[in-house]
Amino acid sequence: MIAPPFPRSLWAETLRQMLQKKLTVVAMAVVFLYTMVALLAHWGLIAGDWNVEVGGSYAAPSIQHWLGTDIFGRSVLAKIIKGTEVAMSVGFVVALIAVTMGVALGALAGYFGGIVDECIVWFYTTVASIPNIMLLLALTFILGKGILSVYIALGMTNWVELCRLIRGEVKRHKDQEYVQAATALGASHLRKLCRHILPNVLHIVIICFALIFQFAIKSEVILSYLGLGVQNSPSWGVMIDDARVELARGIWWQLVFATLAMFLIVLAFNILSDALRDALDPKLKGK
Amino acid sequence: MNMYHYAIRRLLYAIPVLIGVTLVIFLLFNVVAGDPTLILLGKHATLQQMVELRHELGLDKSMLMQYCDTLKSAFTLNFGRSWATKQQIMQMIKGGAYASLTLSIPAFVLASLAAIAMALLAAFFRGKLLDRSLVVVSVIMMSISVLAYILFGQWVFAYKLGWFEIAGYEYGFPNFLPYIILPAIIWIVLSIGPDVRFYRTVVLDEVHQDYVRTARAKGLSNRIILFKHVLKNAMIPIITNLVIQVPSLILGALLIENFFGIPGLGNITLQAINNSDFPVIKAMTILSSMLYIIFNIITDVLYTLVDPRVKLK
Amino acid sequence: MKNLIKLGVFVLIVLGMWFYTKRVHTPQNQNEKVLVTVGAAQIKGFDPAQTDDVYSACEVAKIYEGLLGYHYLKRPYELVPNLAAALPTVSEDGCVYTFSIKEGIKFHDNTCFPAGQGRELVAEDFVYTIKRVADPKVQSPWFSMLAEKIQGLDAWRNKYAVVAQTDYTEAVAGLKAVDRYTLQFTLIRPWPQFPYILAMGFCYAVPHEAVQHYGAEFLNHPVGTGPFTLQAFNPQLNKLIYYKNPTFRDKRFPSEAAEAYQHLLADAGKKLPLVDKIITHILPEEQPRWLKFQQGTIDVADIASDSIAVEVVQGDRIAPRLQEKGIQLFLEPEQSTGLFVINNGHVLFKNNAKLRQALSLAFDEQRYNELFHKGTAVLAQSIIPPGLEGYQKDYTNPYKIHDLAKARKLLTAAGYPGGKGLPVITLDVHATTQHRQQGEFFKKCMERIGVKIKVVPNTFPELLKRIDQKMTMLHALSWSADYPDAEGFLCLLYHSDQSMGIGAYFNDPAYNALYEKAIVMQPSSERTKLYEQLNSMAAEHVPAIYSVHRPHPVLYHGWIKNYLWADCLYGTEQYINIDLEQKKALQAKF
């Protein structure tokens, strides 16, 4: 039968390579930690009490309130933990939407070519031509505000690059021998795409997923600044945005700790995607 | 097919994209965003006034006619007047472009030069401590939110230390210089990270080429190979990357401009967003999309001119 | 390496130029009195008929003037003639107002006039100005203020709504220039607030030459009679520079003052304006505004809407670290009312006073005041703010006592025990950091009685649009006095199911009837009684949850003299003086 496109050992090899580097291991640990925190916060096991007043308004960091309190006397620590849930969910869902769209459209365009290709290329060129910020704005106008529109708006603005890459790769793979062999064996289009071609471009998808993940977390700040961000739940973006009117008063803790929380996860994802890239596809470096 | 034909074809191909862009913009802002009369007339508006105004703005025309108006404005560059400020939009954009470019061009040039220099350094000392720390530093710089940079930079460097102007702007050289230094530094810090990483890989890609091996075999020093041969070849992707960034320069930096009081296009856009000033938002969107399309064509054509390996298709 | 060296050289050059320009820039004419102010929002042009936001109104008032104005130093407000020679004579039936206009007042010199010389202001200019507000082609947002008030004006407007060219020569019965300096308004029915309206920005005198000469660009070329001139407005420059008007009439600093302002009489009798130049920066973000003020590069900082106010204003004092620098504080309550408006037209709230009352009882205004105003605001009992007729100092709204037990009881009585059965109630707010925090606070209050609130931020026009289309359930707004008459507040609840106002969509026949009776009355103790009655109705029906009448803190540096702020006062820069000696001494401390 046809050999699987990536021998099992390649994935194992990738993992081994990544685990060799200390930095990568730390990054993986950070991502894991954040994921756990997010999940625990989601189930209400930790930081369920973020909305409770634990001290005075704007208490500076101290033994009692490690990271200080916000305007209503809520613990900044609890808000950061709860914010982790928001950030991780934004990163995950946005990356999922973007990857799904990018892969689906890219694969269709690359595989079928012809008019389908033309249409999809036209579509993504059009989307790419419109500045992201305007597209975000317009989408939140239509969808209203809230976390759902943050997901969709960011998802809809981040798929183009991946789509372009996948299209190119699928085009390249389509004519290769193993696919032609599958055609000869009477495999359907769907089977060829899913079973044979897509596994071969999976590494691109994984790397892009990590990149979009961290980009979405960063973008949430800009959306919050524009008043289009997450509502009614603490988010790092909103906390950083609060600092617009707080920092001049010398209240630095919300800004510093929210920035730090975001910095760590974004850094971890950047390191991870670099490591993945080095291990999986040296050609893609830096793209 | 020759170059000339290729350029024409690329230009023709831009037409459906432009139509697509205007269509998307029209759908998003005209159909969905709806009625501007309240923005224009404020809290004291009467019903009759709204009807009159809708007529003035052509909002009682059919959708198709309204789309034609949008399309026409893209070609004639006549976007009418702003709803919020009542100013001629093209006039606003001209003034704003000047302010934006005085910030973005120096920042862009410096950032690019620094990024290329750092990338070369990193490639030269590949795998060494310098390389690793450069890469790590650029990743760290990329990982901090722009808003945090601005808030801190302004507070610490402009106010506490008094090194820079806190905010403001003046037209004319060299009057604007004191005002753009801090924003430009923040811009550079923001954009240098991704650029260094990208250029470093580009240079490293070249290092692995055959001609480098040949040069080494001839006994040329590493330095000469890097600067004479590798850089020359790596320039192609680097220049394309630079050209493709140009349209975004004109839009400026939304947040940076707003915080530093620079009356550029980013500032105009942000104000327009806050005022739901759709004609301005639309004009800015159409213009930047057009610039993006044009510079894409330029990049493609340049690419084929410079690099004969790229097939004309 | 070479690149690095080049880079270094480049950076050095840029830095060198910067130090050079810094040196060149600082020396100013030391003897020139320059007032530096700051605005927090884009200026929307200089057409008095078009500007309807506070920031633009402040700029317009430096250039243009009206028939009447308010005495700078007297409180309660006192109308004084400005371009008029005296207060108007009013006919017996209260419908005919006759003004005589000061002679010899000149418009600013401008190219729109023959030979560039400013023409003399005449009565006809006001006829033109008012017609222009009514002109359907101008689309002035202010016309509704004049609608169905002046004889013949509505008919004139309706006629030209369908005719391509508006004819300003066609006479309007109620607007008449009797002779060169005499002006007569004839109203449809008595309207005691009319003189206040004439003191508002949209009634400032506009010369028709300028409107015709500049056409659509008139908004960038202000030509008025006021104390300052502006060459041309460049909206792309976040900075405006005004110069003292050389042809300004002989207007003097007032020599009488209210008790509280006696200390401001040092310049009494001096010719206005007192400063030579005004520079106004436009900085939309709070942080740079505040940092620049502390640096001493901005003279006056209006921090009423800034969250920094909580930090620097302690009680009625200023923080000691600012006091050391000689910074002064002006603090007076605003004539405004903060509101969480209830959409009374919404099925949930219509005819459900108990629910509205429950929400009002659950709102902890004391804590709100602490958090957002450090306890310096006046807690609002009803819609009329202090300082206006009808405000009762000792009145306590029975539904404004923070009483959770009673709130829960009323909620149960309304059919929602513990909030059960209630949908999530949305609260629309303006999407600024501070408004969002206020919304969150409201949400936290309501959680205590089991009512779920969702805060929805909007851009300001979006918020207005949602309110207008009755799409909100609750929305946060603040209403400030346009003129010193409580009618401007009470009208917000009159038949408000038909017009937007604050979007309360409140309609109570008893209230409407009483209101109709009150508004045609001249000021009198009977009218005050009616106003008070209306005010307590507005309290007990709870068409909105009143939060606070906020204070208005303004900071200014020690060298600024005669500064004061009041809601209805615009164009006050002419009264400000600068002590250059003190400025030098104080600036040395920065």
Side-chain angles (χ1 to χ4, degrees), chain B residues 35-211:
Chain B
D35 201 334
T37 43
L38 274 159
I39 297 161
L40 282 164
L41 293 172
K43 55 186 182 183
H44 300 290
T46 64
L47 208 63
Q48 188 200 351
Q49 263 182 304
M50 292 191 199
V51 174
E52 290 164 9
L53 189 64
R54 273 185 205 121
H55 180 71
E56 286 272 316
L57 296 173
L59 295 175
D60 49 359
K61 289 190 211 166
S62 72
M63 281 293 159
L64 188 69
M65 287 307 289
Q66 285 188 51
Y67 174 67
C68 287
D69 286 348
T70 305
L71 201 59
K72 207 172 93 191
S73 70
F75 285 102
T76 58
L77 294 186
N78 178 9
F79 298 103
R81 280 177 186 269
S82 148
W83 287 348
T85 64
K86 313 279 192 305
Q87 300 288 345
Q88 199 90 47
I89 292 175
M90 231 20 229
Q91 221 49 40
M92 290 168 78
I93 289 177
K94 273 184 203 154
Y98 178 89
S100 279
L101 288 175
T102 54
L103 165 64
S104 58
I105 288 179
F108 174 67
V109 170
L110 282 177
S112 305
L113 283 178
I116 293 170
M118 282 166 76
L120 279 174
L121 267 182
F124 190 71
F125 295 102
R126 175 151 206 230
K128 302 254 173 58
L129 183 70
L130 185 67
D131 176 31
R132 288 218 303 273
S133 38
L134 273 175
V135 171
V136 170
V137 167
S138 34
V139 175
I140 289 179
M141 290 201 294
M142 282 162 67
S143 304
I144 298 177
S145 163
V146 48
L147 201 53
Y149 275 121
I150 296 173
L151 287 167
F152 261 121
Q154 194 170 50
W155 192 49
V156 176
F157 297 109
Y159 174 62
K160 286 276 175 195
L161 299 173
W163 292 354
F164 310 103
E165 288 283 340
I166 290 169
Y169 189 79
E170 262 173 67
Y171 280 85
F173 183 83
N175 298 352
F176 62 73
L177 271 179
Y179 299 99
I180 63 152
I181 303 228
L182 183 57
I185 290 175
I186 292 178
W187 178 304
I188 291 169
V189 169
L190 277 172
S191 61
I192 216 166
D195 281 356
V196 167
R197 284 153 49 94
F198 178 68
Y199 297 149
R200 179 178 164 271
T201 13
V202 166
V203 173
L204 285 181
D205 274 353
E206 286 299 322
V207 170
H208 293 303
Q209 301 286 333
D210 289 341
Y211 70 87

Side-chain angles (χ1 to χ4, degrees), chain A residues 5-286:
Chain A
F6 263 152
R8 285 256 169 265
S9 61
L10 185 65
W11 290 103
E13 172 66 15
T14 302
L15 195 64
R16 201 185 59 78
Q17 249 188 44
M18 287 175 67
L19 285 174
Q20 263 177 354
K21 281 192 194 161
K22 255 191 228 135
L23 200 62
T24 321
V25 176
V26 174
M28 282 163 102
V30 170
V31 172
F32 179 72
L33 185 77
Y34 271 69
T35 314
M36 284 320 288
V37 168
L39 285 176
L40 289 176
H42 181 69
W43 292 323
L45 295 175
I46 48 170
D49 57 350
W50 66 272
N51 206 10
V52 175
E53 289 160 37
V54 295
S57 178
Y58 290 134
S62 64
I63 310 282
Q64 272 176 316
H65 312 297
W66 293 357
L67 307 187
T69 63
D70 74 349
I71 180 170
F72 302 127
R74 300 181 296 202
S75 158
V76 171
L77 179 64
K79 277 175 77 180
I80 288 200
I81 291 174
K82 190 73 184 162
T84 309
E85 183 202 332
V86 172
M88 294 300 277
S89 77
V90 166
F92 183 75
V93 178
V94 167
L96 203 66
I97 295 176
V99 162
T100 314
M101 275 194 80
V103 170
L105 290 178
L108 281 179
Y111 184 81
F112 289 107
I115 186 83
V116 179
D117 186 36
E118 299 269 330
C119 284
I120 291 174
V121 170
W122 172 78
F123 182 55
Y124 76 58
T125 316
T126 301
V127 173
S129 303
I130 301 173
N132 265 358
I133 186 80
M134 303 300 193
L135 215 52
L136 281 178
L137 182 76
L139 285 170
T140 46
F141 263 119
I142 300 168
L143 300 166
K145 277 156 198 148
I147 196 153
L148 193 70
S149 51
V150 171
Y151 291 154
I152 297 176
L154 283 174
M156 294 288 285
T157 46
N158 281 308
W159 57 272
V160 173
E161 193 53 35
L162 177 63
C163 183
R164 225 194 294 252
L165 284 174
I166 296 284
R167 173 177 167 266
E169 285 295 302
V170 169
K171 244 183 175 163
R172 208 161 57 80
H173 280 285
K174 189 175 73 171
D175 301 324
Q176 287 193 358
E177 285 166 16
Y178 72 93
V179 181
Q180 281 168 357
T183 316
L185 287 171
S188 70
H189 289 312
L190 193 69
R191 191 180 156 79
K192 272 189 285 178
L193 251 180
C194 297
R195 196 73 192 89
H196 300 287
I197 299 179
L198 283 186
N200 269 312
V201 296
L202 198 60
H203 57 287
I204 302 179
V205 176
I206 294 174
I207 295 165
C208 280
F209 190 89
L211 285 175
I212 296 171
F213 201 116
Q214 56 97 13
F215 186 76
I217 294 178
K218 276 201 286 185
S219 303
E220 201 257 327
V221 182
I222 312 289
L223 285 184
S224 296
Y225 176 84
L226 295 174
L228 307 171
V230 178
Q231 318 295 339
N232 299 294
S233 183
S235 85
W236 299 338
V238 173
M239 290 171 82
I240 294 176
D241 181 56
D242 279 347
R244 279 158 80 187
V245 298
E246 290 172 353
L247 194 60
R249 296 164 62 178
I251 296 156
W252 50 267
W253 41 95
Q254 281 220 81
L255 172 65
V256 168
F257 294 123
T259 306
L260 206 66
M262 180 182 306
F263 170 68
L264 280 180
I265 185 69
V266 171
L267 188 61
F269 268 110
N270 270 321
I271 292 171
L272 264 189
S273 59
D274 277 5
L276 277 169
R277 177 179 300 154
D278 286 347
L280 286 173
D281 184 11
K283 265 205 323 281
L284 255 176
K285 268 184 214 166

